[in-house]
Amino acid sequence: MKEVLRTNDLVLLSYATHVLAEAGIEAVVFDAHMSAVEGSIGAFPRRLMVQDEDIAQALRELGNVAITGQ
């Protein structure tokens, strides 16, 4: 899997996941449960991952909506 976004912004992460889903790209959020370890302070960014073969299209889709929160 390849990373397409790394952010602490949960709204941005949700939106990016939605954009990819609308394009037919399955995305998985890594590190979503790190808040239990970090004490819910948002110190560790979450990563949005896609399959290797979807990376180019995913980056294109995210670029089309001007996501710059990396």
Side-chain angles (χ1 to χ4, degrees):
M1 296 196 90
K2 301 280 186 180
E3 180 181 311
V4 293
L5 178 67
R6 182 184 299 227
T7 184
N8 289 333
D9 185 340
L10 298 181
V11 175
L12 176 61
L13 188 62
S14 176
Y15 182 65
T17 303
H18 171 76
V19 167
L20 294 177
E22 287 292 311
I25 301 170
E26 183 179 350
V28 178
V29 178
F30 281 19
D31 307 320
H33 301 288
M34 285 300 292
S35 63
V37 175
E38 66 178 331
S40 299
I41 61 172
F44 295 102
R46 279 107 174 130
R47 297 175 290 154
L48 189 61
M49 310 292 281
V50 299
Q51 294 294 328
D52 293 354
E53 59 270 12
D54 293 331
I55 187 73
Q57 182 185 359
L59 291 173
R60 217 174 14 257
E61 292 295 331
L62 294 177
N64 287 341
V65 294
I67 290 182
T68 60
Q70 295 187 35

